[in-house]
Every structure is written in C-alpha cells, then in structure tokens.
DNA sequence: TTCTTTTCTTAATGTATATTAAGTGCTGAA
DNA sequence: TTCAGCACTTAATATACATTAAGAAAAGAA
C-alpha cells in the first residue's frame, strides 16, 4: 500500500467518505521523511501537526526532573501521534517526538484539521473516535502502572506492541515500562529462567 | 443553578445550540440520586450511561490483583464520568463508580448519545473536545506516575482537585496517588514539618 | 448515651526497584 | 585499523515505598 492508500484505509474503518471528500482530505496532507534519531517535535515547541505513521516508528518522550527520558508512547505504522496538550492549547509542549528508525509520516496541520471539521463534519466523528480509543488505552496503562509489577507491565507492552519487541533497543522498552535498563536486563533474565 | 442549568452552561462552553436543540438534549437526560457508598456502576456490568455530576462527588476505581482498591479518577460537580472502555466497546468493564457522598447526576444513555450524534452533529464536536481534554489530563497523570515522587503526585492532586482536599477521606487520596494510607499519613506529616 | 466500625497515626520490618560502578561486545568515525 | 561511544550485563549498595501490627480518635448505629 502507498502511504495515501494506508491512511485512506485507516479512515474508512471509522467513517464513510465520498470520493471528493477523500480527495479534499488527502490534498491537505503533507509527506515527510524523518531520519533515525531526528525529532519531529521538540519540547518547548508548539505542536502544529498530527502525524500519521506510514513507515518506521516514532516515540514520544519527556525528560523527568532528574534529566532521564521517559517514553510516553510508541507510534508504529498505522498509528497517529501528536503532543495533544500542545496541539489543543497551542502552548509550548513538553513532549519530544523522535524517529527510532527512518520513518515516513503524513502530516495534518492544526489549521487544516479545523478546516476539515467545518467542511466535513464527519471528521469530528473520526477524531472523536480515535481520541476515545487513545483515552481507553491510556487509562489502561495508568491502571497498569498503579497496580502491576514491572514484569506484568512488560507483558502488557508485548501485547500492545508485538511488532516492536524485537525491533526496539531494550532501553527504550525499559523506559516505556518505567524501570532502569539495568533492572530490565536482570528482570528479563529472571523471566527466561522461570520459563525454562 | 439547577442541575439542568448547570449542564447547559457546561455545554455552552464548547458549542452553541439553538433553543430547540438544547431542549431536545435535555429531554434525553435522566436524573438520578446516588446515596453515599452506593455504586452507579459495578465492575462486570456493561456501562450504558455517561454521567454528569450536578452535586456531590463520585470516584472511579478498580481492584488490583491483590484485591486493593485503586482510584482512577474523581468526578466532582461539573465533571463527566463513565467507564469509557465499556461504554465504547459495550463489553463488561472493570471500573466501579461509587458515590463518596450523596450525589446527584444527570445520565445520558449510550443510545441517546448516538441519537444525539446523528440528529445534532455539533455534539460530535462537544464530546470530541471533552474526550481530548480527558486524554490530556490522563497523559499528564501517566507521566506523573512514571517520573514523580508520591509527594509531588500529591501536589498535583491538590492542583487538579482543589475542592476535594478537605472533602475526601485521606485514604481515597492515598489510593489516587498510588500509596498506602500508612505511607500517606507519614508523608503528610513530613511535608508539614518541612514547611514550618 | 454506649458500642462498633472506620479512619488515621506510629513504628518495625520487608521488598521492589534505583543508583553506582565496572566490564563486555558492537558500531561507526577518523 | 584503531579508537570512542553506545547498548547491554552483572553486582553491590541504597531508597522509596509496602506490609504488618497495634492503638487513638472520629463517625455511625443501636
């Protein structure tokens, strides 16, 4: 599938568009390639785009008060990512969005997104639904962090991002589940030992 | 303000409705009183309503694997609450929603909510926006849990729910910030000592 | 009121995870 | 080719929080 076909397929899963509506939508998209380790968004910037990943993988992370990176989310192919706080408020955000490998995205600017809302109200529906889904995923992760051990959080990571288990450096996964790389290394060894 | 005035005011902050649209909306609402400690929603049930709080306070919580309650969110006056996972999927949920004191809510059923979406598409917009806001609040809390100490999480609780600091039993707050009541008690004493 | 239950506190001990440090093996740049 | 840096591992020690237990104070029921 081409990037455009991929996003059209993604949208068609939620709303039904006329051909000319779809054409109008795709006319608003901007293609961008991000090289490994390059940032799509830097903390302190105002987030002006929602990004749809067509190839590769991004990660959203912040620096905590001790200067350590904490991964908030990964965005593999077919996912959307943005600093929602900054995108909505148009204030400087805290999120860094970085390519974990060479990555292709389609960008929809905030202004075009609002154009879309007024001209094709069905897009209110589309973004309501994907926001609801994000919210559910987020609440689940919050509960995981409140009630599960690191080991169980790792299992949930594996369920949520099966394609990333072997694709990502271990320290990224450690950061996502909220432990140090050292502890993660030890933990994984213990898990292997238990299974055998 | 009456309950109906309160919810109308809440909605008018996001979308502009004609008088008859507002009348149609309010005709869908159901008033319900929940006595202290009564559940509005019990885990295992399918969530059929979004609830808008007009008086009192609710809490959403789950039981973790050790059988301990973990508070996911509080819902004071003027907030919405539901088990989003269950409401969206119409599968049995994991959330319990309980009144912390005698509480009045306005209920909007899932089916009426969808009626609303088709008959007054502006409501797609309304719920998109409040879902976005929930998502942002949730992401912030997730980052808090990954990167802040219990003390700092308590400070953030105070900022988010200033009205609840003195209204809630301490053990509810402890559960929200993710520590035991014993540790919370000790921590608060230490915080007081530091300030003086 | 009196009794019971719940909330809150204090303190001793226990544990999951962090921190620091050191070492190995890869990778990419000069 | 050689070196610098990065990813990953192992291990010793440290710490933020949990668990258990017991008592005091407050709230609810009889």
């Amino acid at each position: 599938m081409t990037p455009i076909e991929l996003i059209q397929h993604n949208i068609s899963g939620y709303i039904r568009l006329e051909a000319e509506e779809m054409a109008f939508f795709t006319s608003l998209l901007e293609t961008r390639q991000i090289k490994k380790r390059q940032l799509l968004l830097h903390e302190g910037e105002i987030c002006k785009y929602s990004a749809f990943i067509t190839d590769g993988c991004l990660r959203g992370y912040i620096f905590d008060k001790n200067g350590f990176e904490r991964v908030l989310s990964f965005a593999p192919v077919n996912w959307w990512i943005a600093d929602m706080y900054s995108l909505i408020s148009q204030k400087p955000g805290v999120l860094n969005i970085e390519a974990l490998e060479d990555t292709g995205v389609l960008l929809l600017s905030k202004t075009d997104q609002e154009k879309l809302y007024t001209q094709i109200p069905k897009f209110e529906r589309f973004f309501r639904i994907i926001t609801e889904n994000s919210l559910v995923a987020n609440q689940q992760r919050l509960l995981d962090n409140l009630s599960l051990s690191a080991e169980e959080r790792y299992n949930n990571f594996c369920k949520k991002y099966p394609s990333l288990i072997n694709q990502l450096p271990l320290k990224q996964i450690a950061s996502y589940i909220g432990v140090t790389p050292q502890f993660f290394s030890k933990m994984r060894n213990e898990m292997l030992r238990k299974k055998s």
Coordinates of all heavy atoms in Angstrom, one line a residue, chain D residues 2-27:
Chain D
dT2 P 45.4 -1.7 14.8 OP1 46.9 -1.9 15.0 OP2 44.5 -2.9 15.1 O5' 44.9 -0.4 15.5 C5' 45.3 0.9 15.0 C4' 44.4 1.9 15.6 O4' 43.1 1.9 14.9 C3' 44.0 1.6 17.1 O3' 44.1 2.8 17.8 C2' 42.6 1.1 17.0 C1' 42.0 1.9 15.8 N1 40.8 1.4 15.1 C2 39.9 2.3 14.7 O2 40.0 3.5 14.8 N3 38.9 1.7 14.0 C4 38.6 0.4 13.8 O4 37.6 0.0 13.2 C5 39.6 -0.5 14.3 C7 39.5 -2.0 14.2 C6 40.7 0.0 15.0
dC3 P 44.3 2.8 19.4 OP1 45.7 3.2 19.7 OP2 43.8 1.5 19.9 O5' 43.3 3.9 19.9 C5' 43.0 5.0 18.9 C4' 41.6 5.3 19.0 O4' 40.8 4.4 18.3 C3' 41.0 5.3 20.5 O3' 40.6 6.6 20.8 C2' 39.9 4.3 20.4 C1' 39.5 4.3 18.9 N1 38.9 3.0 18.4 C2 37.8 3.1 17.6 O2 37.3 4.2 17.3 N3 37.2 1.9 17.1 C4 37.8 0.8 17.4 N4 37.2 -0.3 16.9 C5 38.9 0.7 18.2 C6 39.5 1.8 18.7
dA4 P 40.0 7.0 22.2 OP1 40.6 8.3 22.6 OP2 40.1 5.8 23.1 O5' 38.5 7.3 21.9 C5' 38.1 8.1 20.7 C4' 36.6 8.2 20.7 O4' 36.1 7.0 20.1 C3' 36.0 8.4 22.0 O3' 35.0 9.3 21.9 C2' 35.5 7.0 22.4 C1' 35.2 6.4 21.0 N9 35.5 4.9 21.0 C8 36.5 4.3 21.6 N7 36.6 3.0 21.4 C5 35.5 2.8 20.5 C6 35.1 1.7 19.8 N6 35.6 0.4 20.0 N1 34.0 1.8 19.0 C2 33.5 3.0 18.8 N3 33.9 4.2 19.4 C4 34.9 4.0 20.2
dG5 P 34.0 9.7 23.2 OP1 33.7 11.2 23.1 OP2 34.7 9.2 24.4 O5' 32.7 8.9 22.9 C5' 32.1 9.0 21.6 C4' 31.1 7.9 21.4 O4' 31.7 6.6 21.4 C3' 30.1 7.8 22.6 O3' 28.8 7.8 22.0 C2' 30.4 6.5 23.3 C1' 30.9 5.7 22.1 N9 31.8 4.6 22.5 C8 32.9 4.6 23.3 N7 33.5 3.4 23.4 C5 32.7 2.6 22.6 C6 32.8 1.2 22.3 O6 33.7 0.4 22.7 N1 31.8 0.8 21.4 C2 30.9 1.6 20.9 N2 30.0 1.0 20.0 N3 30.7 2.9 21.1 C4 31.7 3.3 22.0
dC6 P 27.5 8.2 22.9 OP1 26.9 9.4 22.2 OP2 27.9 8.3 24.3 O5' 26.5 7.0 22.7 C5' 26.4 6.4 21.4 C4' 26.0 4.9 21.6 O4' 27.2 4.2 22.0 C3' 25.0 4.6 22.7 O3' 23.9 4.0 22.1 C2' 25.7 3.7 23.7 C1' 26.8 3.1 22.9 N1 28.1 2.7 23.6 C2 28.5 1.4 23.5 O2 27.8 0.6 22.7 N3 29.6 1.0 24.1 C4 30.3 1.8 24.9 N4 31.4 1.4 25.5 C5 29.9 3.2 25.1 C6 28.7 3.6 24.4
dA7 P 22.6 3.7 22.9 OP1 21.4 3.9 22.1 OP2 22.6 4.3 24.3 O5' 22.7 2.1 23.1 C5' 22.8 1.3 22.0 C4' 22.9 -0.2 22.4 O4' 24.2 -0.4 23.0 C3' 21.8 -0.6 23.4 O3' 21.3 -1.9 23.0 C2' 22.6 -0.6 24.7 C1' 24.0 -1.0 24.3 N9 25.0 -0.4 25.1 C8 25.2 0.9 25.6 N7 26.3 1.1 26.3 C5 26.9 -0.2 26.3 C6 28.1 -0.6 26.8 N6 28.9 0.2 27.6 N1 28.5 -1.9 26.6 C2 27.7 -2.7 25.9 N3 26.5 -2.4 25.3 C4 26.2 -1.1 25.6
dC8 P 20.1 -2.5 23.8 OP1 19.4 -3.4 22.9 OP2 19.3 -1.4 24.5 O5' 20.8 -3.4 24.9 C5' 21.6 -4.5 24.5 C4' 22.4 -5.0 25.7 O4' 23.3 -3.9 26.1 C3' 21.6 -5.4 26.9 O3' 21.5 -6.8 26.9 C2' 22.5 -4.9 28.1 C1' 23.8 -4.4 27.4 N1 24.4 -3.2 28.0 C2 25.7 -3.4 28.6 O2 26.2 -4.6 28.6 N3 26.3 -2.4 29.2 C4 25.8 -1.2 29.3 N4 26.4 -0.2 29.9 C5 24.5 -0.9 28.7 C6 23.9 -2.0 28.1
dT9 P 20.9 -7.5 28.2 OP1 20.4 -8.9 27.8 OP2 19.9 -6.6 28.9 O5' 22.1 -7.7 29.2 C5' 23.2 -8.5 28.8 C4' 24.2 -8.5 30.0 O4' 24.7 -7.2 30.2 C3' 23.7 -9.0 31.3 O3' 24.3 -10.2 31.6 C2' 24.0 -7.9 32.3 C1' 25.0 -7.1 31.6 N1 25.0 -5.6 31.8 C2 26.1 -5.0 32.5 O2 27.0 -5.7 32.9 N3 26.0 -3.7 32.7 C4 24.9 -2.9 32.3 O4 25.0 -1.7 32.5 C5 23.8 -3.5 31.6 C7 22.7 -2.7 31.2 C6 23.9 -4.8 31.4
dT10 P 23.8 -11.2 32.8 OP1 24.2 -12.5 32.5 OP2 22.4 -10.8 33.1 O5' 24.7 -10.7 34.1 C5' 26.1 -10.7 34.0 C4' 26.7 -10.0 35.2 O4' 26.5 -8.6 35.1 C3' 26.0 -10.4 36.6 O3' 27.0 -11.0 37.4 C2' 25.5 -9.1 37.1 C1' 26.3 -8.1 36.4 N1 25.7 -6.7 36.1 C2 26.4 -5.6 36.5 O2 27.5 -5.6 37.0 N3 25.7 -4.4 36.2 C4 24.4 -4.3 35.6 O4 24.0 -3.2 35.4 C5 23.8 -5.5 35.3 C7 22.4 -5.5 34.7 C6 24.4 -6.7 35.6
dA11 P 26.7 -11.7 38.8 OP1 27.7 -12.8 39.0 OP2 25.2 -12.0 38.9 O5' 27.0 -10.5 39.8 C5' 28.2 -9.8 39.7 C4' 28.2 -8.7 40.7 O4' 27.6 -7.5 40.2 C3' 27.4 -9.0 42.0 O3' 28.1 -8.5 43.1 C2' 26.1 -8.2 41.8 C1' 26.7 -7.0 41.1 N9 25.7 -6.2 40.4 C8 24.6 -6.6 39.7 N7 23.9 -5.6 39.2 C5 24.6 -4.4 39.6 C6 24.4 -3.1 39.3 N6 23.4 -2.6 38.6 N1 25.3 -2.2 39.8 C2 26.4 -2.7 40.5 N3 26.7 -4.0 40.8 C4 25.8 -4.8 40.3
dA12 P 27.8 -9.0 44.6 OP1 28.9 -9.9 44.9 OP2 26.4 -9.3 44.8 O5' 28.1 -7.6 45.4 C5' 29.2 -6.8 45.0 C4' 28.9 -5.4 45.6 O4' 28.0 -4.6 44.7 C3' 28.3 -5.4 47.0 O3' 28.9 -4.4 47.9 C2' 26.8 -5.0 46.7 C1' 26.9 -4.2 45.5 N9 25.8 -4.3 44.6 C8 25.1 -5.4 44.2 N7 24.1 -5.2 43.5 C5 24.1 -3.8 43.3 C6 23.2 -3.0 42.6 N6 22.2 -3.4 41.8 N1 23.5 -1.7 42.6 C2 24.5 -1.2 43.3 N3 25.4 -1.9 44.0 C4 25.1 -3.3 44.0
dT13 P 28.4 -4.3 49.4 OP1 29.6 -3.9 50.2 OP2 27.6 -5.4 49.8 O5' 27.4 -3.0 49.2 C5' 28.0 -1.8 48.7 C4' 26.8 -0.8 48.5 O4' 25.9 -1.3 47.6 C3' 26.0 -0.5 49.8 O3' 26.0 0.9 49.9 C2' 24.6 -1.1 49.5 C1' 24.6 -0.9 48.0 N1 23.6 -1.8 47.2 C2 22.8 -1.2 46.4 O2 22.7 0.0 46.2 N3 21.9 -2.0 45.7 C4 21.8 -3.4 45.9 O4 21.0 -4.0 45.2 C5 22.8 -4.0 46.8 C7 22.7 -5.4 47.0 C6 23.6 -3.1 47.4
dA14 P 25.3 1.7 51.1 OP1 26.1 2.8 51.5 OP2 24.8 0.7 52.1 O5' 24.0 2.2 50.4 C5' 24.2 3.1 49.3 C4' 22.8 3.6 48.8 O4' 22.1 2.5 48.2 C3' 21.9 4.1 49.9 O3' 21.3 5.3 49.4 C2' 20.9 2.9 50.2 C1' 20.8 2.4 48.7 N9 20.4 1.0 48.6 C8 21.0 -0.1 49.2 N7 20.4 -1.3 48.9 C5 19.5 -0.9 47.9 C6 18.5 -1.6 47.2 N6 18.4 -3.0 47.2 N1 17.7 -1.0 46.4 C2 17.8 0.4 46.3 N3 18.6 1.2 47.0 C4 19.4 0.5 47.8
dT15 P 20.5 6.2 50.5 OP1 20.9 7.6 50.2 OP2 20.5 5.6 51.8 O5' 19.0 6.1 50.0 C5' 18.7 6.2 48.6 C4' 17.3 5.8 48.3 O4' 17.1 4.4 48.2 C3' 16.3 6.3 49.4 O3' 15.1 6.7 48.7 C2' 16.0 5.0 50.1 C1' 16.0 4.0 49.0 N1 16.2 2.6 49.3 C2 15.4 1.7 48.6 O2 14.7 2.0 47.7 N3 15.7 0.4 49.0 C4 16.5 -0.1 50.0 O4 16.7 -1.3 50.2 C5 17.2 1.0 50.7 C7 18.2 0.6 51.8 C6 17.0 2.2 50.3
dA16 P 14.4 8.1 49.1 OP1 15.1 9.2 48.5 OP2 14.2 8.0 50.6 O5' 13.0 7.9 48.4 C5' 13.0 7.4 47.0 C4' 11.8 6.5 46.8 O4' 12.1 5.2 47.4 C3' 10.5 6.9 47.5 O3' 9.5 6.6 46.6 C2' 10.4 6.1 48.8 C1' 11.1 4.8 48.3 N9 11.8 4.0 49.4 C8 12.5 4.5 50.4 N7 13.0 3.5 51.2 C5 12.6 2.4 50.6 C6 12.8 1.0 50.9 N6 13.5 0.6 52.0 N1 12.2 0.1 50.1 C2 11.5 0.5 49.1 N3 11.2 1.7 48.7 C4 11.8 2.6 49.5
dC17 P 8.0 7.3 46.7 OP1 7.4 7.3 45.4 OP2 8.1 8.5 47.6 O5' 7.2 6.2 47.6 C5' 6.7 5.1 46.8 C4' 6.7 3.8 47.6 O4' 7.9 3.7 48.5 C3' 5.5 3.6 48.6 O3' 4.5 2.9 47.9 C2' 6.1 2.7 49.7 C1' 7.6 2.6 49.3 N1 8.4 2.6 50.5 C2 8.9 1.4 51.0 O2 8.6 0.4 50.5 N3 9.7 1.4 52.2 C4 10.0 2.6 52.8 N4 10.8 2.5 53.9 C5 9.5 3.8 52.2 C6 8.8 3.8 51.2
dA18 P 3.2 2.4 48.7 OP1 2.2 2.1 47.7 OP2 3.0 3.2 49.8 O5' 3.7 0.9 49.2 C5' 4.1 -0.1 48.3 C4' 4.2 -1.4 48.9 O4' 5.2 -1.4 49.9 C3' 2.9 -1.9 49.6 O3' 2.8 -3.3 49.4 C2' 3.2 -1.6 51.1 C1' 4.7 -1.7 51.2 N9 5.4 -0.8 52.1 C8 5.3 0.6 52.1 N7 6.0 1.2 53.0 C5 6.5 0.1 53.8 C6 7.4 0.1 54.9 N6 7.8 1.1 55.6 N1 7.7 -1.2 55.4 C2 7.2 -2.2 54.7 N3 6.5 -2.3 53.6 C4 6.1 -1.1 53.2
dT19 P 1.5 -4.1 50.0 OP1 1.3 -5.2 49.1 OP2 0.4 -3.1 50.2 O5' 2.0 -4.6 51.4 C5' 3.1 -5.5 51.5 C4' 3.3 -5.9 52.9 O4' 3.9 -4.8 53.6 C3' 2.0 -6.3 53.7 O3' 2.2 -7.6 54.2 C2' 1.9 -5.3 54.8 C1' 3.3 -4.8 54.9 N1 3.5 -3.4 55.4 C2 4.4 -3.2 56.4 O2 5.0 -4.1 57.0 N3 4.6 -1.8 56.7 C4 4.0 -0.8 56.1 O4 4.2 0.4 56.5 C5 3.1 -1.1 55.0 C7 2.4 0.1 54.3 C6 2.9 -2.4 54.7
dT20 P 1.0 -8.5 54.8 OP1 1.3 -9.9 54.5 OP2 -0.3 -7.8 54.5 O5' 1.2 -8.3 56.4 C5' 2.5 -8.5 57.0 C4' 2.6 -7.9 58.4 O4' 2.8 -6.5 58.3 C3' 1.3 -8.1 59.2 O3' 1.7 -8.9 60.3 C2' 0.8 -6.7 59.5 C1' 2.1 -5.9 59.4 N1 1.9 -4.5 59.1 C2 2.7 -3.5 59.7 O2 3.5 -3.8 60.6 N3 2.5 -2.2 59.3 C4 1.5 -1.8 58.4 O4 1.4 -0.6 58.2 C5 0.8 -2.8 57.8 C7 -0.3 -2.4 56.7 C6 1.0 -4.1 58.1
dA21 P 0.6 -9.5 61.4 OP1 1.1 -10.7 61.9 OP2 -0.8 -9.5 60.7 O5' 0.6 -8.3 62.5 C5' 1.9 -7.9 63.0 C4' 1.7 -6.7 63.9 O4' 1.6 -5.5 63.2 C3' 0.3 -6.8 64.7 O3' 0.6 -6.5 66.1 C2' -0.5 -5.8 64.1 C1' 0.5 -4.7 63.8 N9 0.2 -3.7 62.8 C8 -0.6 -3.8 61.7 N7 -0.8 -2.7 61.0 C5 -0.1 -1.8 61.7 C6 0.1 -0.4 61.5 N6 -0.4 0.3 60.5 N1 0.9 0.2 62.5 C2 1.4 -0.4 63.5 N3 1.3 -1.7 63.8 C4 0.5 -2.4 62.8
dA22 P -0.4 -7.0 67.2 OP1 0.4 -8.0 68.0 OP2 -1.7 -7.3 66.7 O5' -0.5 -5.7 68.2 C5' 0.6 -4.8 68.2 C4' 0.1 -3.4 68.4 O4' -0.2 -2.8 67.1 C3' -1.3 -3.4 69.2 O3' -1.2 -2.5 70.3 C2' -2.3 -2.9 68.1 C1' -1.4 -2.0 67.3 N9 -1.9 -1.7 65.9 C8 -2.6 -2.6 65.1 N7 -3.0 -2.0 64.0 C5 -2.5 -0.8 64.1 C6 -2.6 0.4 63.2 N6 -3.2 0.3 62.0 N1 -2.0 1.5 63.6 C2 -1.4 1.6 64.8 N3 -1.2 0.6 65.7 C4 -1.8 -0.6 65.3
dG23 P -2.4 -2.4 71.4 OP1 -1.9 -2.9 72.6 OP2 -3.6 -3.0 70.8 O5' -2.6 -0.8 71.5 C5' -1.4 0.0 71.4 C4' -1.9 1.4 70.9 O4' -2.2 1.3 69.5 C3' -3.2 1.9 71.6 O3' -3.1 3.3 71.9 C2' -4.3 1.6 70.5 C1' -3.5 1.9 69.3 N9 -4.1 1.3 68.1 C8 -4.5 0.0 67.9 N7 -5.1 -0.2 66.7 C5 -5.0 1.1 66.1 C6 -5.4 1.5 64.8 O6 -5.9 0.8 63.9 N1 -5.1 2.8 64.5 C2 -4.5 3.7 65.5 N2 -4.3 4.9 65.1 N3 -4.1 3.3 66.7 C4 -4.4 2.0 66.9
dA24 P -4.1 4.0 72.8 OP1 -3.4 4.3 74.0 OP2 -5.4 3.1 72.9 O5' -4.5 5.3 72.0 C5' -3.5 6.0 71.4 C4' -4.2 7.1 70.5 O4' -4.7 6.4 69.3 C3' -5.4 7.7 71.1 O3' -5.4 9.1 70.7 C2' -6.6 6.9 70.6 C1' -6.1 6.5 69.2 N9 -6.6 5.3 68.7 C8 -6.7 4.1 69.3 N7 -7.3 3.1 68.6 C5 -7.5 3.7 67.4 C6 -8.0 3.3 66.2 N6 -8.4 2.0 66.0 N1 -8.1 4.2 65.2 C2 -7.7 5.4 65.3 N3 -7.2 6.0 66.4 C4 -7.1 5.1 67.4
dA25 P -6.4 10.1 71.3 OP1 -5.5 11.3 71.7 OP2 -7.3 9.4 72.3 O5' -7.3 10.6 70.1 C5' -6.7 10.8 68.8 C4' -7.8 10.7 67.8 O4' -8.2 9.4 67.5 C3' -9.1 11.4 68.2 O3' -9.6 12.2 67.1 C2' -10.1 10.3 68.6 C1' -9.6 9.3 67.5 N9 -10.0 7.9 67.8 C8 -9.8 7.1 68.9 N7 -10.2 5.9 68.8 C5 -10.6 5.8 67.5 C6 -11.1 4.7 66.7 N6 -11.3 3.5 67.2 N1 -11.4 4.9 65.4 C2 -11.2 6.2 64.9 N3 -10.8 7.3 65.5 C4 -10.5 7.0 66.8
dA26 P -10.6 13.4 67.2 OP1 -9.8 14.6 66.8 OP2 -11.3 13.4 68.5 O5' -11.7 13.2 66.1 C5' -11.2 12.6 64.8 C4' -12.3 11.8 64.2 O4' -12.4 10.5 64.9 C3' -13.8 12.3 64.4 O3' -14.2 12.5 63.1 C2' -14.5 11.3 65.2 C1' -13.7 10.0 64.9 N9 -13.8 9.0 66.0 C8 -13.4 9.1 67.3 N7 -13.6 8.0 67.9 C5 -14.0 7.1 67.0 C6 -14.3 5.7 67.0 N6 -14.2 5.0 68.2 N1 -14.7 5.1 65.9 C2 -14.8 5.8 64.8 N3 -14.5 7.1 64.6 C4 -14.1 7.7 65.7
dA27 P -15.7 13.2 62.8 OP1 -15.6 14.0 61.6 OP2 -16.3 13.7 64.0 O5' -16.6 11.9 62.4 C5' -16.0 11.0 61.4 C4' -17.0 9.8 61.3 O4' -16.8 8.9 62.5 C3' -18.4 10.2 61.2 O3' -19.0 9.4 60.2 C2' -19.0 9.8 62.6 C1' -18.1 8.6 63.0 N9 -17.9 8.3 64.4 C8 -17.6 9.2 65.4 N7 -17.4 8.7 66.6 C5 -17.6 7.3 66.3 C6 -17.6 6.2 67.2 N6 -17.4 6.2 68.5 N1 -17.9 5.0 66.6 C2 -18.1 4.9 65.3 N3 -18.2 5.9 64.4 C4 -17.9 7.1 65.0

